[in-house]
Amino acid sequence: MQRRHFLKNTMATGAVALAATSGLLVPVQVLAWNKAAFDAKDVQSAMKGSIGTELTEASDKINIKAPDIAENGAVVPVTISSTLAGVTSITILSEKNGTPLIGKFNLKGAAEAFVATRIKMGKTSNVIAICESGGKFYSARKEVKVTIGGCGG
Amino acid sequence: MAKSSIKVRAKAKNGVVTVKALISHKMETGLRKDKKTGKVIPAHFIEAVDCEHNGTAVMNAEWGVAISKNPYLSFKFAGASGDAVKLTWKDNTGKSDTLETKVK
């Protein structure tokens, strides 16, 4: 009886171990996508996850072009440009979205500090733009009023 | 693929290339429910967009679900007319598409 138990147990743990290894293999493939940061529910952890810090320096050299009032939160055009030298990444967050992190644009080589896209916003909140320049992070924010939310529905 | 999901326009002006791209993708958040069945529509969104200029990467974007449906993306880099621009996207289901074009 004891031996049977032993066998059964080893097989069970074996299966668990197998599941664990196969489970481990999957994240390796999708590691490129920063799940923790994109799933983060508040701005601090989203920032920490995406840029590794939650401390940024407010800068007036970052220009956020977004409407003051967005009628449709599902499509909010946002343009971010900066006069900072050597910007290597631009991160966009929307403060009151369920998951604040919207996207991170890694700029390389000849790229200029300019990104434009359209984002979804759940409700009226600040859009935060973070520029990385020379290993330092600079941020700017702009409030966008949203009349109809664009998340869920 | 007969018709690409990507539309790209790249224009050079004073040594700066402005790329404007439209990708056709539904960008499902995974939070919406199907009105008829009440079931949650699974998330389906682009998680990475890469851009190469003459074979070297100039931009790679990591996107979450909060990028709008049929995403629009614009960015700039130093370049000239006639350069090659290649845009690639990949979504969370492993689908991807690529388009290569010349700077005007």
Side-chain angles (χ1 to χ4, degrees):
Chain A
M1 235 4 218
Q2 283 249 311
R3 209 169 10 161
R4 261 164 208 269
H5 263 288
F6 175 71
L7 248 175
K8 230 180 185 174
N9 283 343
T10 38
M11 268 166 77
T13 39
V16 169
L18 200 80
T21 34
S22 57
L24 270 173
L25 279 173
V26 179
V28 169
Q29 286 169 343
V30 288
L31 200 75
W33 192 66
N34 198 338
K35 192 176 189 313
F38 280 106
D39 279 350
K41 300 272 186 263
D42 57 283
V43 175
Q44 273 78 22
S45 38
M47 277 166 70
K48 215 163 185 151
S50 68
I51 60 174
T53 174
E54 50 189 70
L55 298 169
T56 56
E57 205 176 297
S59 168
D60 53 5
K61 286 183 178 163
I62 302 169
N63 182 25
I64 305 177
K65 203 171 121 196
D68 294 327
I69 298 170
E71 272 180 29
N72 184 358
V75 189
V76 183
V78 175
T79 304
I80 290 153
S81 55
S82 172
T83 50
L84 289 164
V87 174
T88 49
S89 83
I90 295 178
T91 308
I92 309 174
L93 298 109
S94 167
E95 216 165 53
K96 284 183 190 150
N97 271 12
T99 50
L101 185 60
I102 287 165
K104 186 179 179 191
F105 301 85
N106 298 304
L107 307 171
K108 289 168 197 159
E112 301 216 341
F114 172 93
V115 159
T117 187
R118 295 192 294 224
I119 64 169
K120 293 175 195 166
M121 288 180 74
K123 51 182 144 183
T124 301
S125 88
N126 280 325
V127 172
I128 307 171
I130 303 167
C131 288
E132 183 183 357
S133 166
K136 274 187 162 181
F137 294 97
Y138 301 91
S139 67
R141 52 192 67 207
K142 179 183 191 323
E143 196 188 28
V144 176
K145 285 197 168 69
V146 176
T147 21
I148 308 166
C151 288
Chain B
M1 202 177 281
K3 205 177 165 205
S4 177
S5 63
I6 312 174
K7 271 190 207 167
V8 179
R9 201 169 284 177
K11 261 189 180 167
K13 198 181 175 189
N14 302 333
V16 177
V17 177
T18 305
V19 180
K20 289 178 181 172
L22 266 177
I23 304 168
S24 126
H25 198 281
K26 57 185 176 177
M27 297 299 281
E28 205 55 74
T29 58
L31 302 168
R32 273 174 3 118
K33 279 182 182 165
D34 190 316
K35 277 183 184 129
K36 279 179 198 149
T37 59
K39 277 189 189 149
V40 173
I41 305 168
H44 187 199
F45 58 95
I46 296 174
E47 53 184 28
V49 182
D50 292 315
C51 181
E52 284 179 7
H53 165 231
N54 284 346
T56 47
V58 283
M59 201 259 339
N60 81 298
E62 302 162 37
W63 281 358
V65 293
I67 297 286
S68 297
K69 184 177 165 182
N70 298 334
Y72 164 74
L73 170 69
S74 174
F75 55 93
K76 294 178 184 178
F77 58 83
S81 176
D83 289 357
V85 174
K86 193 171 144 195
L87 210 73
T88 310
W89 62 258
K90 188 171 90 52
D91 71 14
N92 65 331
T93 59
K95 276 191 202 138
S96 65
D97 201 0
T98 308
L99 187 87
E100 195 165 345
T101 185
K102 290 257 183 285
V103 176
K104 270 181 193 159

